[in-house]
Amino acid sequence: MPVITVPYNEGLVVPYYLDSASILAALSLRLPKTQQALAENNHQDASPLILDACAAPGGKTLVLASKMGKDTKLLANEYSSERRRRLNAVLEKHLTPDLRSRVQVSGFNAAVAASRNSELGRFSAVLLDVPCSSERHVIQSKTALEKWTPARPRYLAQRQWSLLSAAFLMLKSGGTLVYATCSINPEENDGVAGRLLNKYGNKNRSGESESYCILDKPDFLEGEDTEYGRVILPDTAEGAGPLYVARFIKHE
């Protein structure tokens, strides 16, 4: 089945074509309240900052930028320098000058960023669309198929866990974390999401002041339920996906 893309143009200079499932993943992130709303509720927070932790090629970044409040900022992070160049080009082409001025591009290793105290609780919301097995790409690419091994999903699941646990630590209390893959492998999907709940779930916290997460399943109707999220499959979604999405909220 061919990959189906759709134009996304809300708030953009020119449309960007991407998988409709990717739009749903980005829209699943509950964006933070604006600075004005925070002030009205007697909060003294700085302007909200969103993290798109693995942002290239940039489609989901555009969706987030188009939806964020006027005083919100977005950090689009991409560790690969080659993919980061593509990300910058996409943002320059599609974002209005105002939105572009509030989207910064960075290149840190998101899997280890939480080891720095300055990053803990820094972000009001985090979108984490991780590198994954991407089976649809593998079966359509001879080169990718030749490089695939049974050990690859296990290696990726470990990398995904490092990214997800770091993303949770970098999230502010009350913030939303969306975990997404384009894999159909349960080890990379519910397996990784469940590991976060096992470590940081409400029932496992050891003290009242300790951070913990609760599951907040995506509310889009496309796809089907899994234990911890929803998965959109091409054969039942008119070519969209595959895409897995799990959503969490951080509490103190």
Side-chain angles (χ1 to χ4, degrees):
M1 181 178 293
V3 177
I4 306 297
T5 60
V6 297
Y8 184 85
N9 59 6
E10 184 173 344
L12 305 183
V13 176
V14 292
Y16 182 87
Y17 285 79
L18 74 168
D19 189 330
S20 60
S22 294
I23 299 175
L24 292 173
L27 292 177
S28 294
L29 192 67
R30 298 187 187 278
L31 299 183
K33 293 181 178 180
T34 64
Q35 181 66 11
Q36 179 180 356
L38 289 169
E40 290 172 352
N41 286 288
N42 297 317
H43 290 284
Q44 300 301 318
D45 252 337
S47 296
L49 179 61
I50 304 167
L51 174 63
D52 188 352
C54 303
K60 296 182 186 69
T61 309
L62 296 177
V63 176
L64 293 178
S66 72
K67 293 292 186 180
M68 66 184 184
K70 291 184 178 180
D71 56 6
T72 303
K73 296 180 180 179
L74 171 60
L75 185 61
N77 182 70
E78 178 53 54
Y79 190 46
S80 163
S81 58
E82 181 178 347
R83 288 171 59 82
R84 194 160 61 246
R85 283 192 291 271
R86 182 181 177 189
L87 171 64
N88 268 303
V90 166
L91 299 180
E92 291 293 336
K93 179 178 179 180
H94 294 275
L95 290 180
T96 64
D98 171 63
L99 285 179
R100 185 67 185 90
S101 70
R102 292 188 284 125
V103 178
Q104 180 183 352
V105 175
S106 60
F108 61 83
N109 183 352
V112 299
S115 62
R116 300 189 296 273
N117 287 336
S118 60
E119 300 302 302
L120 299 178
R122 180 184 177 192
F123 300 100
S124 300
V126 179
L127 173 63
L128 178 63
D129 180 14
V130 294
C132 66
S133 289
S134 188
E135 292 89 354
R136 190 169 190 173
H137 172 70
V138 170
I139 63 175
Q140 293 176 337
S141 168
K142 181 179 178 181
T143 301
L145 184 59
E146 290 174 347
K147 292 180 178 179
W148 189 89
T149 69
R152 182 166 171 76
R154 292 193 295 273
Y155 162 77
L156 285 167
Q158 287 300 320
R159 171 70 174 169
Q160 292 154 358
W161 165 242
S162 297
L163 287 163
L164 182 59
S165 58
F168 178 75
L169 294 174
M170 291 189 287
L171 184 66
K172 287 180 183 291
S173 177
T176 299
L177 167 61
V178 165
Y179 172 73
T181 84
C182 55
S183 174
I184 60 173
N185 190 321
E187 185 176 5
E188 299 179 49
N189 296 341
D190 273 354
V192 176
R195 192 170 176 181
L196 186 73
L197 290 168
N198 286 337
K199 183 168 185 177
Y200 294 108
N202 185 8
K203 64 182 180 181
N204 293 325
R205 59 189 175 127
S206 59
E208 288 303 316
S209 63
E210 185 177 344
S211 298
Y212 67 98
C213 69
I214 62 171
L215 189 65
D216 180 32
K217 278 198 172 184
D219 42 20
F220 57 78
L221 300 178
E222 290 80 354
E224 57 193 61
D225 265 327
T226 66
E227 185 173 3
Y228 302 120
R230 289 189 69 79
V231 62
I232 298 172
L233 301 172
D235 59 336
T236 59
E238 299 181 349
L243 196 96
Y244 170 85
V245 181
R247 184 169 63 189
F248 310 92
I249 298 176
K250 184 175 184 178
H251 286 282
E252 297 289 345

